[in-house]
Amino acid sequence: MRRYLNQLVSSARRQWYLIPIALFLFVWLATRMRANPVLFFQFLVDGIRLGFVYALIALGYTMVYGIVRLINFAHGDVFMVGAFTAYYATTRYHWGFLPAMLLAMVVCAFLAVIIERVAYKPLRDAPRIAALITAIGMSFFLEYFTALDFVFTPNFISYVPLPIIFQPWEIGGVTFSNVMLIVMAITTALMLLLWFIVYRTKMGKAMRAVAWDKPTARLMGIDVDMVITFTFALGAALAAVGGMLYVIVYPQIRTFLGAMPGLKAFIAAVFGGIGSIPGAFIGSLIIGMVETLSQGYISSLMRDAIVFSILILVLLFKPTGLFGEASKEKA
Amino acid sequence: MKRIYALLSLMLVASVLLSGCQPAQQSTTFKIGLLGPLTGDVATFGASNRDGAILAFEEWNAKGGVLGKKIEWILGDTQCDPKAAADAGKKVIDEDKVKFIVGAVCSSASIPIAQYANEKKVLQISGTSTNPLVTVGEDGKVKPYTFRACFDDPFQGSAIAAIALNQLQAKTAAVVYDSGNDYIKGLAEYFKAAFEAKGGKILVWEAFVKEDTDFSAILSKVKDANPDVFVVPTYYDKMNLIGAQAKQKGITAPMIGGDGWDSADLDTAAADGGYFTNHYAPSDPRPIVQNFVKSYQAKHNVVPDALAALAYDASIILLESIKKAGTDDPVKVKDVMATISVEGVSGMISFDANHNPVKKAAILHVTNGKVEFFDWATP
């Protein structure tokens, strides 16, 4: 962590003009907070909850990018399939929360493996732009195919009854809910699991090796294809959980559900430094908070414009994101 | 499969056209054009419109028709499209020689029909076209031969304000609306104008876009402002989302909406405790409503929606006006219609100077998983 912070400080020194901007933002937020602290903390709480959901999607983007240098735009739609799977499991077959979540993870992992084998693997040695365009095509295919009448239908579905009963409570005027705690707990647990897999298992070591240097890893006897497939499956399983949590918080499901959260999570991954796992998490939290604060304090219609301008600014001024440079271990 | 349907509908249209070419028996039947979208995206609207109007015609035929003649309705398909509507209107006016038209459903279809009908002095009454331009031209002049049976968006906005002010005794309100939808935005703005005119205060005024699913920041503001009522004049899909999130946030102010909530897909848990305005209430105890609901249900096996009710009302307003005028001359009937007062399924109806109905809006209350008739709103 200290290494990341050092990197951050040294890059801030290079880009000194960011300091007054950050200072201005800080002062502005502080004045808004003094004007109405309850509302401010409510926005923060909402932003953190949103950020935790984005984190689950952003991790998949960042892991896949770290290993195959591909921005998997179909990731947001895998997230949508996860939401639908969880919905059908809990409402139609009355599965419990955890079994439904596991099922969604398995279904999405398989889906991601199929997508990878069909659409990305044949293009692995093609120019990167070809794979990127295929990813966009895959994303549209999933959205419009699932919108057919015999798949999920183009209409929205209200998620009732929810597998968790909402229990809001207030601390000093700020509303929390059990769902928020569940979202945070599950995301944290999955992040720890991911950390364990990447840094403490043989597969994780292989992933890091492939991310570092693919040909050498292959020479060392690592089954590179297997590792790549595993990475896709792992990212998709996380996205499936994200999808389930997302539709519990916003109980309406349609096949275009994944597009926006997918893009936001992508921005979060870029902001945190694409390829970096901690970067994806921190970036997601920041994007979540930027969303709620800009919606609350500037204008609800400006929210998306602000979030997307962050993407442009990051790409212009710091394309490696917050933690991108620091880590050579892109996994 | 689609092709077969297309072919079948083509044959159907052809057969209607051909039958229209036969020498009309003008002496024995009284012809009324019945226009609406019978194909296309909103074909279900057209079906309700057709079935509601036909129910009225059949009831009158059972009583002996109008002016001593049986009513014969001539269907036309407007497809909710201006061009198809203009063609359908021309066809019934020029070929079938109707002097009276019930329809169309969509404002975009009713406007071109109104143009031709007024040119040809054919009296038109639409059940459900809410756009102000249906009865009043771009130049601000009232179209003498065009009326409507539904209230328009400005009326509905003020009806929502009336619920807030009269039934709920509200002094403050929060409003969220879809900035990209004229109907929703219109309701929000007309509500604001009417509510502020009576001394109400708008504490939160927030817009969203169609793609939004996360309303937490807006709802935090609403909760912080703690208004007496929370106005959500959206369609039922967004209402389900906003309502569910508002409940999560612990917002207790009753939510109010417009006829966009009127759907079987409204999530009654999310909208619990809410109120919305509608054109009619199936549980309204007046005998005319109960008879209408009963006969419609007997025939079509569903509870009639507002579209069917308004088409029914439009038809009986037309027939009562013809009966009162005692002639089939639209020039005279239009003058009678402008002053007539008829009890319809959607209430007592008379017309103002702009040919909009003066009537009450039904207030429906969402409670315990059901939508029930609550009261009448009189703005």
Side-chain angles (χ1 to χ4, degrees), chain B residues 124-145:
Chain B
Q124 175 200 16
I125 178 164
S126 161
T128 51
S129 300
T130 53
N131 193 297
L133 288 175
V134 172
T135 59
V136 180
E138 301 261 14
D139 54 1
K141 282 198 194 127
V142 179
K143 299 175 187 170
Y145 291 91

Side-chain angles (χ1 to χ4, degrees), chain B residues 105-180:
Chain B
V105 173
C106 304
S107 296
S108 55
S110 292
I111 291 169
I113 295 170
Q115 196 183 349
Y116 195 63
N118 280 276
E119 223 170 86
K120 293 278 174 178
K121 295 196 168 54
V122 169
L123 184 58
Q124 175 200 16
I125 178 164
S126 161
T128 51
S129 300
T130 53
N131 193 297
L133 288 175
V134 172
T135 59
V136 180
E138 301 261 14
D139 54 1
K141 282 198 194 127
V142 179
K143 299 175 187 170
Y145 291 91
T146 305
F147 293 76
R148 76 172 114 219
C150 56
F151 44 69
D152 58 1
D153 296 343
F155 176 92
Q156 195 168 197
S158 18
I160 294 171
I163 301 177
L165 292 161
N166 304 335
Q167 271 85 6
L168 303 175
Q169 302 287 327
K171 304 259 182 310
T172 55
V175 183
V176 296
Y177 64 97
D178 179 345
S179 64

Side-chain angles (χ1 to χ4, degrees), chain A residues 36 39 42-43 46 49-50 156 158 160 166 168 170 175 246 248-252 292 295-296 300-301 303, chain B residues 179 206-209 212-214 216-218 220-221 223-224 236-237 240-241 244-245 247-249 267:
Chain A
N36 190 342
L39 196 57
Q42 183 72 65
F43 287 151
D46 290 338
R49 184 189 64 191
L50 195 61
F156 76 86
S158 288
V160 272
F166 250 95
E170 277 191 26
T175 315
Y246 190 83
I248 287 173
V249 179
Y250 311 114
Q252 198 171 78
T292 49
Q295 193 176 17
S300 40
L301 294 176
R303 181 190 63 190
Chain B
S179 64
E206 287 287 337
F208 59 86
V209 291
D212 283 359
T213 50
D214 171 38
S216 51
I218 294 177
S220 293
K221 275 192 189 173
K223 178 144 195 289
D224 186 63
Y236 56 92
D237 60 336
N240 288 351
L241 260 183
Q245 290 177 46
K247 292 272 183 299
Q248 294 169 14
K249 274 257 177 305
D267 178 0

Side-chain angles (χ1 to χ4, degrees), chain B residues 105-370:
Chain B
V105 173
C106 304
S107 296
S108 55
S110 292
I111 291 169
I113 295 170
Q115 196 183 349
Y116 195 63
N118 280 276
E119 223 170 86
K120 293 278 174 178
K121 295 196 168 54
V122 169
L123 184 58
Q124 175 200 16
I125 178 164
S126 161
T128 51
S129 300
T130 53
N131 193 297
L133 288 175
V134 172
T135 59
V136 180
E138 301 261 14
D139 54 1
K141 282 198 194 127
V142 179
K143 299 175 187 170
Y145 291 91
T146 305
F147 293 76
R148 76 172 114 219
C150 56
F151 44 69
D152 58 1
D153 296 343
F155 176 92
Q156 195 168 197
S158 18
I160 294 171
I163 301 177
L165 292 161
N166 304 335
Q167 271 85 6
L168 303 175
Q169 302 287 327
K171 304 259 182 310
T172 55
V175 183
V176 296
Y177 64 97
D178 179 345
S179 64
N181 184 301
D182 287 340
Y183 156 78
I184 293 168
K185 203 174 164 188
L187 286 192
E189 276 163 1
Y190 293 119
F191 164 80
K192 188 182 179 199
F195 191 66
E196 285 179 336
K198 293 267 172 66
K201 261 184 82 179
I202 307 281
L203 300 179
V204 180
W205 176 260
E206 287 287 337
F208 59 86
V209 291
K210 210 175 88 197
E211 290 77 17
D212 283 359
T213 50
D214 171 38
F215 300 95
S216 51
I218 294 177
L219 293 171
S220 293
K221 275 192 189 173
V222 173
K223 178 144 195 289
D224 186 63
N226 194 20
D228 294 335
V229 290
F230 182 22
V231 178
V232 189
T234 59
Y235 291 112
Y236 56 92
D237 60 336
K238 280 286 176 276
M239 175 54 213
N240 288 351
L241 260 183
I242 296 173
Q245 290 177 46
K247 292 272 183 299
Q248 294 169 14
K249 274 257 177 305
I251 293 171
T252 49
M255 290 188 273
I256 320 181
D259 60 345
W261 286 22
D262 180 27
S263 164
D265 287 336
L266 180 74
D267 178 0
T268 48
D272 190 54
Y275 300 84
F276 64 97
T277 53
N278 203 356
H279 301 273
Y280 102 113
S283 56
D284 182 348
R286 286 181 299 133
I288 181 171
V289 181
Q290 289 315 311
N291 285 340
F292 166 70
V293 173
K294 218 164 72 194
S295 13
Y296 192 94
Q297 247 180 330
K299 224 174 135 188
H300 302 289
N301 225 353
V302 287
V303 176
D305 56 13
L307 288 137
L310 290 168
Y312 181 87
D313 278 3
S315 307
I316 59 174
I317 294 166
L318 176 66
L319 295 171
E320 289 284 357
S321 305
I322 296 168
K323 189 177 152 196
K324 201 173 164 199
T327 164
D328 66 349
D329 182 3
V331 182
K332 290 190 180 120
V333 177
K334 80 164 195 323
D335 296 332
V336 173
M337 194 183 274
T339 57
I340 203 169
S341 179
V342 178
E343 190 190 7
V345 170
S346 61
M348 250 349 246
I349 303 165
S350 54
F351 291 99
D352 69 6
N354 288 334
H355 292 180
N356 292 320
V358 180
K359 62 179 178 187
K360 299 173 196 166
I363 307 172
L364 302 181
H365 184 36
V366 186
T367 176
N368 293 329
K370 271 189 284 199

